[in-house]
Amino acid sequence: MTVGTTLPLLKDPQMQFGATTFFAKQHKGDTCGSNGLPLTPNSIIIVGRAQTLKTINCPYLCQYLDFIRGKHERTIVVSQYCGTPLAELIEKRRFEPEEIVQIAYQILEGLKVLHGRKIVHRTLSNDNILLQSSGDVKLFNYGLFHMSKFGSLVSFPVFQVLYTAPEVFLNGINRLSSDPKCDIWSLGVCLAELALNKVLWSSLKLGQKIRKILSMLQVNGSILEKIAREHNSYEQYLEMPEDLKEIIEECLNVLPSHRPTCDLLLKKPCFQQFKAKEGEGFRKICPPFEIFTIHELYHWWQLAGGDVLLELKKQGLIRSSPPILSLPSLVLIEGVVLGQDRNPATLYDPRIAQMPLDALYQRFAHIPFPVFYPLIHSKSEIIADADPPPYDATALPLVIKEKDPEYQLHRVILLRRLLHGYPFTKDFIVEQSAKDIPPLLRGEIWAALLNIQADYETTYTRIDKVTHTTTDRQIEVDIPRCHQYNELLSSADGHKKLKRILKAWVYQNSQYVYWQGLDSLTAPFLYLNFNDEGKAFACLSAFVPKFLHNFFLKDNSVVIEEYLCKFSQLIAFHDPDLANHLHEINFYPQLFAIPWFLTLFSHVFPLYKILHLWDRLLLCDSSFPIHIGLSVLTQLRDRLLTSGFNECILLFSDLPEVDIEKCVLLSTSTYQNTPRSVTSREHENGKFHKKDELDIVGLKLEELKKERCPRISANDVVNFVRNRPNDVLLIDIRNPTMYSRCSVMGSINIPFSSVSFSDNIIDNIGLHSAALKSKGHKVVVVIGDADTDLETFPTFLLQCNISKVCVLHGGFNRLLSVTPTVLTSNNAM
Amino acid sequence: MANRSGTAQRPNGQSQGKICQFKLVLLGESAVGKSSLVLRFVKGQFHEYQESTIGAAFLTQTICLDDTTVKFEIWDTAGQERYHSLAPMYYRGAQAAIVVYDITNQDTFGRAKTWVKELQRQASPNIVIALAGNKQDLANKRMVEYEEAQTYAEENGLLFMETSAKTAMNVNDIFLAIAKKLPKNEQNTGQGGSVQGRRLTEGNTEPKTGANCCK
Ligand SMILES: Nc1nc2c(ncn2[C@@H]2O[C@H](COP(=O)(O)OP(=O)(O)OP(=O)(O)O)[C@@H](O)[C@H]2O)c(=O)[nH]1
Ligand SMILES: [Mg+2]
């Protein structure tokens, strides 16, 4: 491998994939279930069931990559596909007994993984055992029986006649379950073909083949011997080494109960040599770090223009026929259709379309080798200079960045490495997430941002998710209404998972109760961790205390009211015009913003928008949502300003298109430009917001509700005076005597008593009105004391459309104790 | 959106007939089909996967009744018991209410009765209440008999209809029946912004009381 090009790395022969396609069974006639809801299309159920297959990672199994729904219940399965099917080699080359034993071992290891997950292959045959150039084998298409719910969701039989165990026929092929032992029989047939080097009964017709298999039930002696004799291979049978013969004969036992399991077979002495070898390799405590995974390659391939559907059409696996050809001859009034030829496409199509990777190779040809080995911790200047300049896409819009294959290559390589080092690398992950989060790794990155620990799975397993509770009805009626446009969430498996997670959450949080909306809040986590319920649950469990502390109390009214008050105050702080207008028309957040904050917009926006919004939210604190709320109002500002109450409320009942990237930008900007204490709340989680006596504590809701401008803490004011005096305008409204005795450095004095509040005219305050008019972005802090009215003056400023007005909490006296002092005094104290 | 605000701002100087505005609130257990009924009435649509309502949603619709134009300002509330504390904020000052239950679920009928009682006690004394037995299209799974509900409605002076948001059966009719029963005197004729503003203020100023209700 030469330094400088990465192609040999990418062109790994095992890093190839292909697609197969079939039709799910269409629902007949009645399309409504017993609850009055439409039946979920079978293809969606399949896609939901199939997800778990993506998590199977075993060197002897091809990895599943994607499941796509096409038109008319078409289902497309994308999976790793590399090597040559054994069926193509039989009778063409010799298989040495040692080689066959190794193949047997690897198939058994693969089957063991499947059976351990209660997945039955059911279609194991030499057509889908792929021999690699390394000599290893990989099973392909082993998930069809599972994803089709034991064949019940498709209209073709899921088995390979010749390889199918006799009991499958005897029990009826439509039985809704299957004993894994049938795979052992199939293995026996596969091995027999290899050992005899004969394609078995190739000349027989379908019915004859079935009869042939059933005839095995009558055989008294060795089935292998009978097969050998029927194929003129008795000699090979005799020459076969005993250990191999024994394996095949045990597999071909007609009684499933007497047929051995994978585990039992793997105990055979002839397999021990392989076990020892593997011990050295990948059975280490920690799996080796992969430079990139086939999932990533598939992702980049798609970004680089790869399109599975298009490829299937190109290669003739998807063909459209003119609709007129599928018209029935007769339709009865009850809807029974007669004389319609069965569409051959509804049968099983064994063809596999290999996906061409050339375009991707070309696209990545120039990428320098070091990109795959990013330096994370420190880079000396020498190295940094020698490196090619980093691929810079920071300035591009988010949607473009997410679709740029090269950028995503960089991001995925870097972030998976960082995730590998989690939790030690948490700070780096935060730093990188602030740029953007690569969609492929979002689930894991979110979990890291939420500090999810490695033991989350045990916790989840231990929780009772089954026992009936009074909340169940509500959860059950909410789930079929929750983000159902999404395939995963609308699938049967999605419903089951969401229900379990919600029940677990209710069980685990006895201080809280289920509020409608919690379903929507959970949806993004389930969507991102569809194959890892425990992690979805852990994320939800970490998310709620951080962002929605006490929102799900049985009586949450004070928490929500305080939150909405702070929202109103934030609007007043940043956008007085809007705040005044909304105030005038009595348009309160209570009327529209409860679903916003209770579900952090997950009930308001579609999933893809929530993901981008939460990408940023997760990096901020619990005040961020009100900044998002403000950013939504800002986007609709012009309409709101010219509308009355009814039009405003209508606007929010059916929220118009909101640009999420703009939301993120706007809310991040106000979030950064708002002193922290302006949004501080009594009811925020003390764990995340530590406070001292110079912060705002003890503010009662009744008081808060009267104040249209927010308060600011002494801590923040001190910080302004010391570090950013040019960003603040301090207005002391005490009487001039007190002001001249002692005042805050740089403050101006506008005695409360000197101002006439009759009209909202800023000039009424006299001399200093100019300072206010030209204040720009400065924060205006009103400082008073116990004797001054702390509502009228700031409200007056607000009504004069002065922005960023806030009131020092605790008044002037709060600053007396601060050392070193921020006060200046004229006479010695 | 544009259309709708257009309707909302219907000029009141129309030559023929008068315009009346009424505030109407929908109450009832979760998932009985309140939002679906409103959606059918306002937009003529039905969504199988209608999202659940959190807090409340506001919509308007105008219908013509002889020489009067009746404009409904509809508050569609959240059905879950927990959101109960918010309900008074919406039904306060309402001139009409539709209490909805699901004919395939007996519990929702019980809950509807509770709502009726609460309205009779707490809402404006002249409020027109209609009872809607929704999901009539699922009559083969009926758990609440028509007669039972009708008797209850008669005893309590309620309008009553079985409806289906899915097939649109009786949806417009129930709103129409309410419109007919509402008094169309001067007080309710919309005179533009000021009346609107005042009435809504009345309706919204007491969230405190609302919060207390949950205990
Ligand atoms: N078959 C049938 N289903 C209906 C009908 N009306 C509503 N539904 C379904 O019932 C479910 C609940 O309807 P919603 O309108 O969301 O109920 P809701 O009363 O607004 O519920 P909350 O917002 O939770 O209070 C949805 O899945 C609707 O599709 C109907 O007339 N017939
Ligand atoms: Mg609703």
Side-chain angles (χ1 to χ4, degrees):
Chain A
M1 224 181 302
T2 52
V3 175
T5 169
T6 46
L7 279 187
L9 200 64
L10 287 167
K11 284 186 174 169
D12 180 336
Q14 304 216 344
M15 290 286 183
Q16 312 253 6
F17 42 85
T20 56
T21 176
F22 58 83
F23 280 101
K25 207 187 261 181
Q26 238 142 18
H27 291 301
K28 291 211 187 71
D30 196 12
T31 50
C32 262
S34 58
N35 56 358
L37 284 177
L39 293 174
T40 313
N42 282 331
S43 57
I44 292 192
I45 303 182
I46 292 177
V47 168
R49 286 184 64 86
Q51 293 306 314
T52 174
L53 296 169
K54 282 191 202 163
T55 63
I56 299 179
N57 192 351
C58 162
Y60 309 124
L61 298 171
C62 287
Q63 282 198 45
Y64 278 99
L65 298 174
D66 201 5
F67 309 95
I68 306 166
R69 289 176 62 230
K71 275 190 217 148
H72 309 301
E73 291 295 83
R74 181 182 284 288
T75 312
I76 296 158
V77 179
V78 186
S79 145
Q80 182 178 25
Y81 183 76
C82 48
T84 317
L86 289 178
E88 286 179 18
L89 302 170
I90 291 169
E91 294 182 11
K92 305 222 168 68
R93 61 163 265 206
R94 231 184 99 74
F95 288 91
E96 298 300 332
E98 299 75 41
E99 197 183 354
I100 301 175
V101 171
Q102 185 182 336
I103 290 174
Y105 169 76
Q106 298 189 342
I107 297 175
L108 278 167
E109 283 287 347
L111 287 177
K112 188 173 119 181
V113 170
L114 297 179
H115 294 173
R117 289 176 164 241
K118 306 246 180 313
I119 292 170
V120 177
H121 189 318
R122 194 46 134 51
T123 57
L124 179 68
S125 79
N126 279 328
D127 295 306
N128 52 37
I129 303 171
L130 307 176
L131 186 66
Q132 310 300 305
S133 50
S134 61
D136 294 328
V137 295
K138 277 186 196 292
L139 305 186
F140 174 75
N141 203 14
Y142 48 84
L144 184 61
F145 190 57
H146 170 79
M147 70 176 91
S148 64
K149 202 171 178 187
F150 319 116
S152 66
L153 303 176
V154 291
S155 50
F156 51 84
V158 182
F159 60 82
Q160 298 254 23
V161 176
L162 193 66
Y163 297 84
T164 303
E167 74 268 13
V168 173
F169 296 108
L170 292 178
N171 294 338
I173 49 166
N174 293 326
R175 239 182 38 165
L176 277 195
S177 79
S178 186
D179 183 355
K181 292 286 182 63
C182 70
D183 289 346
I184 304 291
W185 173 280
S186 310
L187 171 65
V189 182
C190 292
L191 295 178
E193 277 193 315
L194 293 176
L196 303 173
N197 207 0
K198 278 269 154 59
V199 179
L200 300 187
W201 297 299
S202 53
S203 57
L204 293 192
K205 294 213 182 67
L206 184 72
Q208 292 170 313
K209 280 185 184 169
I210 297 178
R211 233 168 287 138
K212 185 59 83 189
I213 290 162
L214 290 178
S215 75
M216 298 297 169
L217 294 165
Q218 316 295 331
V219 178
N220 279 328
S222 156
I223 289 182
L224 180 61
E225 183 186 329
K226 180 176 149 79
I227 293 175
R229 282 183 194 276
E230 289 197 9
H231 288 83
N232 299 324
S233 306
Y234 189 58
E235 264 148 61
Q236 278 102 316
Y237 173 74
L238 291 178
E239 283 164 17
M240 219 180 280
E242 276 312 307
D243 45 8
L244 179 58
K245 198 187 281 176
E246 193 183 291
I247 294 169
I248 301 179
E249 289 189 323
E250 282 182 25
C251 289
L252 293 178
N253 190 319
V254 292
L255 288 176
S257 55
H258 290 187
R259 220 175 284 150
T261 59
C262 294
D263 281 317
L264 209 62
L265 282 167
L266 283 168
K267 291 211 175 83
K268 298 252 175 236
C270 60
F271 291 142
Q272 299 321 306
Q273 42 168 334
F274 308 116
K275 276 199 182 152
K277 223 190 278 169
E278 276 184 4
E280 302 155 15
F282 44 89
R283 291 254 168 103
K284 297 225 179 89
I285 307 164
C286 170
F289 187 79
E290 293 167 274
I291 304 304
F292 62 93
T293 67
I294 189 159
H295 286 282
E296 291 163 4
L297 190 78
Y298 174 62
H299 181 64
W300 298 327
W301 176 79
Q302 284 178 300
L303 294 178
D307 181 338
V308 177
L309 213 70
L310 199 74
E311 206 50 52
L312 285 170
K313 280 184 192 153
K314 238 193 244 167
Q315 302 189 25
L317 273 75
I318 295 180
R319 241 191 224 128
S320 45
S321 61
I324 191 147
L325 293 183
S326 52
L327 280 184
S329 336
L330 186 64
V331 181
L332 300 186
I333 204 144
E334 297 86 42
V336 182
V337 175
L338 298 171
Q340 187 181 29
D341 285 339
R342 183 172 177 169
N343 180 355
T346 60
L347 298 173
Y348 183 65
D349 181 352
R351 287 176 297 168
I352 299 149
Q354 180 97 39
M355 297 295 135
L357 293 170
D358 298 331
L360 180 71
Y361 294 154
Q362 248 170 37
R363 186 82 202 237
F364 282 177
H366 69 283
I367 289 183
F369 200 63
V371 164
F372 287 90
Y373 299 91
L375 268 178
I376 291 161
H377 273 265
S378 61
K379 231 180 231 188
S380 76
E381 265 170 43
I382 310 165
I383 299 178
D385 286 347
D387 267 5
Y391 186 78
D392 192 20
T394 11
L396 297 175
L398 186 60
V399 272
I400 309 265
K401 281 199 270 189
E402 290 193 345
K403 296 217 162 85
D404 183 328
E406 197 173 325
Y407 185 65
Q408 288 305 315
L409 171 84
H410 282 79
R411 299 299 284 161
V412 167
I413 293 283
L414 175 63
L415 274 144
R416 193 161 54 82
R417 239 166 225 275
L418 292 177
L419 286 167
H420 198 66
Y422 176 80
F424 302 102
T425 48
K426 163 88 195 264
D427 293 348
F428 293 101
I429 297 176
V430 171
E431 190 188 316
Q432 289 300 327
S433 304
K435 283 190 199 161
D436 60 76
I437 292 183
L440 191 68
L441 299 175
R442 185 174 273 126
E444 280 172 80
I445 294 173
W446 279 19
L449 295 177
L450 286 164
N451 290 343
I452 304 304
Q453 304 287 315
D455 58 352
Y456 64 86
E457 187 133 29
T458 339
T459 318
Y460 185 65
T461 315
R462 288 200 188 124
I463 300 174
D464 178 358
K465 304 174 270 292
V466 182
T467 309
H468 182 84
T469 68
T470 46
T471 317
D472 287 6
R473 179 199 179 251
Q474 191 64 52
I475 294 179
E476 274 159 20
V477 297
D478 284 348
I479 287 175
R481 295 186 284 171
C482 177
H483 293 287
Q484 293 300 294
Y485 53 86
N486 179 272
E487 282 168 9
L488 294 183
L489 296 176
S490 65
S491 70
D493 277 49
H495 284 193
K496 273 186 234 154
K497 284 169 196 266
L498 186 51
K499 182 169 174 192
R500 280 196 296 261
I501 297 173
L502 289 173
K503 281 184 69 99
W505 188 87
V506 172
Y507 180 91
Q508 187 83 339
N509 293 278
S510 48
Q511 75 278 29
Y512 294 143
V513 292
Y514 175 82
W515 282 79
Q516 253 181 318
L518 202 63
D519 51 333
S520 302
L521 193 72
T522 311
F525 295 120
L526 176 57
Y527 169 71
L528 290 178
N529 300 289
F530 199 76
N531 280 318
D532 197 345
E533 250 177 85
K535 198 190 263 171
F537 172 77
C539 287
L540 176 70
S541 303
F543 185 83
V544 171
K546 186 150 182 224
F547 296 103
L548 292 166
H549 181 59
N550 283 346
F551 270 61
F552 299 107
L553 285 175
K554 192 158 184 201
D555 178 7
N556 60 6
S557 49
V558 280
V559 183
I560 299 225
E561 284 200 44
E562 184 194 36
Y563 205 84
L564 295 172
C565 276
K566 292 312 289 184
F567 180 44
S568 296
Q569 291 185 345
L570 189 74
I571 305 171
F573 189 75
H574 286 288
D575 194 344
D577 294 87
L578 186 62
N580 289 328
H581 175 68
L582 299 182
H583 185 74
E584 227 160 77
I585 61 170
N586 291 305
F587 187 65
Y588 302 120
Q590 276 88 340
L591 298 171
F592 63 94
I594 292 175
W596 292 10
F597 300 127
L598 191 73
T599 70
L600 291 182
F601 297 89
S602 62
H603 198 75
V604 186
F605 292 130
L607 270 175
Y608 74 96
K609 288 191 175 178
I610 303 168
L611 298 182
H612 285 152
L613 203 56
W614 287 16
D615 276 353
R616 180 51 51 91
L617 172 70
L618 290 172
L619 301 169
C620 302
D621 68 25
S622 70
S623 73
F624 192 66
I626 58 175
H627 291 275
I628 303 176
L630 175 62
S631 75
V632 173
L633 295 185
T634 309
Q635 279 196 42
L636 304 173
R637 188 172 190 271
D638 294 345
R639 277 210 245 172
L640 290 171
L641 279 177
T642 53
S643 302
F645 178 89
N646 274 14
E647 295 82 73
C648 284
I649 193 89
L650 279 173
L651 200 57
F652 288 111
S653 283
D654 194 358
L655 203 62
E657 197 59 23
V658 172
D659 179 337
I660 286 297
E661 207 177 347
K662 238 191 229 164
C663 265
V664 171
L665 285 176
L666 285 170
S667 47
T668 310
S669 147
T670 55
Y671 180 74
Q672 286 164 348
N673 292 315
T674 306
R676 176 62 200 104
S677 60
V678 161
T679 52
S680 99
R681 295 175 290 128
E682 273 307 290
H683 293 283
E684 62 198 353
N685 194 343
K687 206 177 122 198
F688 298 96
H689 303 276
K690 297 269 181 294
K691 287 177 186 164
D692 60 34
E693 69 280 6
L694 291 181
D695 285 310
I696 303 174
V697 278
L699 181 57
K700 296 241 162 42
L701 181 62
E702 293 76 61
E703 271 177 85
L704 180 70
K705 278 167 126 175
K706 285 188 268 170
E707 299 169 1
R708 290 189 55 203
C709 292
R711 298 188 180 203
I712 187 169
S713 71
N715 268 332
D716 278 342
V717 170
V718 169
N719 183 31
F720 266 122
V721 174
R722 286 195 189 135
N723 306 321
R724 300 164 54 200
N726 294 329
D727 293 335
V728 70
L729 183 63
L730 301 161
I731 302 182
D732 195 326
I733 60 169
R734 296 172 305 151
N735 65 47
T737 333
M738 299 184 72
Y739 174 75
S740 59
R741 201 181 300 152
C742 178
S743 64
V744 187
M745 293 174 197
S747 64
I748 55 173
N749 186 222
I750 306 177
F752 180 77
S753 49
S754 71
V755 184
S756 141
F757 296 114
S758 52
D759 305 297
N760 295 333
I761 301 168
I762 192 71
D763 294 312
N764 283 0
I765 61 173
L767 185 64
H768 289 298
S769 60
L772 274 161
K773 277 195 232 163
S774 61
K775 77 165 189 76
H777 291 299
K778 282 184 188 172
V779 170
V780 180
V781 181
V782 177
I783 303 170
D785 62 15
D787 298 332
T788 47
D789 177 338
L790 274 174
E791 279 158 38
T792 316
F793 186 75
T795 307
F796 167 76
L797 291 181
L798 171 64
Q799 281 165 346
C800 294
N801 290 334
I802 301 292
S803 70
K804 299 208 174 172
V805 177
C806 51
V807 179
L808 172 62
H809 174 72
F812 182 80
N813 291 348
R814 192 59 62 101
L815 298 171
L816 290 173
S817 63
V818 176
T819 48
T821 189
V822 291
L823 307 176
T824 53
S825 37
N826 285 337
N827 48 350
M829 285 181 79
Chain B
M1 215 50 245
N3 302 344
R4 235 201 288 153
S5 34
T7 342
Q9 281 172 332
R10 187 178 291 263
N12 49 26
Q14 272 176 337
S15 49
Q16 20 143 304
K18 49 185 175 178
I19 306 166
C20 292
Q21 295 195 41
F22 295 108
K23 178 171 164 184
L24 181 150
V25 61
L26 277 105
L27 300 165
E29 176 64 270
S30 178
V32 295
K34 298 179 294 297
S35 305
S36 302
L37 284 172
V38 179
L39 188 71
R40 175 61 82 187
F41 175 57
V42 174
K43 296 194 190 164
Q45 297 170 349
F46 178 72
H47 295 168
E48 308 277 5
Y49 304 112
Q50 176 64 40
E51 286 132 36
S52 60
T53 311
I54 291 177
F58 180 80
L59 290 155
T60 59
Q61 175 67 312
T62 309
I63 54 175
C64 289
L65 199 70
D66 307 325
D67 63 337
T68 320
T69 306
V70 175
K71 180 173 166 199
F72 281 115
E73 293 170 349
I74 305 167
W75 283 101
D76 167 27
T77 64
Q80 193 189 11
E81 174 72 38
R82 309 206 187 292
Y83 288 95
H84 195 156
S85 58
L86 293 174
M89 179 157 91
Y90 304 111
Y91 68 62
R92 185 165 306 120
Q95 288 101 329
I98 303 181
V99 178
V100 188
Y101 68 92
D102 171 354
I103 65 157
T104 69
N105 184 324
Q106 183 74 45
D107 292 345
T108 64
F109 184 53
R111 180 87 175 152
K113 290 183 184 167
T114 323
W115 275 119
V116 171
K117 255 185 234 141
E118 177 165 340
L119 285 175
Q120 287 168 340
R121 263 202 330 261
Q122 319 255 9
S124 342
N126 298 325
I127 188 167
V128 173
I129 307 177
L131 181 69
N134 191 36
K135 307 202 185 178
Q136 196 279 338
D137 54 294
L138 299 177
N140 55 344
K141 298 190 190 72
R142 172 191 292 283
M143 297 301 283
V144 182
E145 289 309 322
Y146 184 86
E147 290 72 25
E148 184 189 356
Q150 195 177 31
T151 314
Y152 170 78
E154 272 165 20
E155 284 165 3
N156 287 274
L158 317 175
L159 287 168
F160 171 63
M161 280 183 201
E162 283 196 349
T163 57
S164 168
K166 188 170 178 172
T167 65
M169 178 184 133
N170 278 347
V171 176
N172 287 342
D173 310 45
I174 199 162
F175 282 92
L176 209 62
I178 293 171
K180 280 193 184 137
K181 208 170 158 188
L182 282 164
K184 279 161 278 313
N185 50 22
E186 282 311 299
Q187 210 189 338
N188 290 317
T189 43
Q191 294 298 325
S194 63
V195 171
Q196 219 177 69
R198 199 191 64 219
R199 229 193 25 257
L200 286 158
T201 320
E202 282 163 21
N204 300 325
T205 38
E206 292 164 82
K208 264 181 269 167
T209 339
N212 290 341
C213 279
C214 53
K215 278 159 229 160

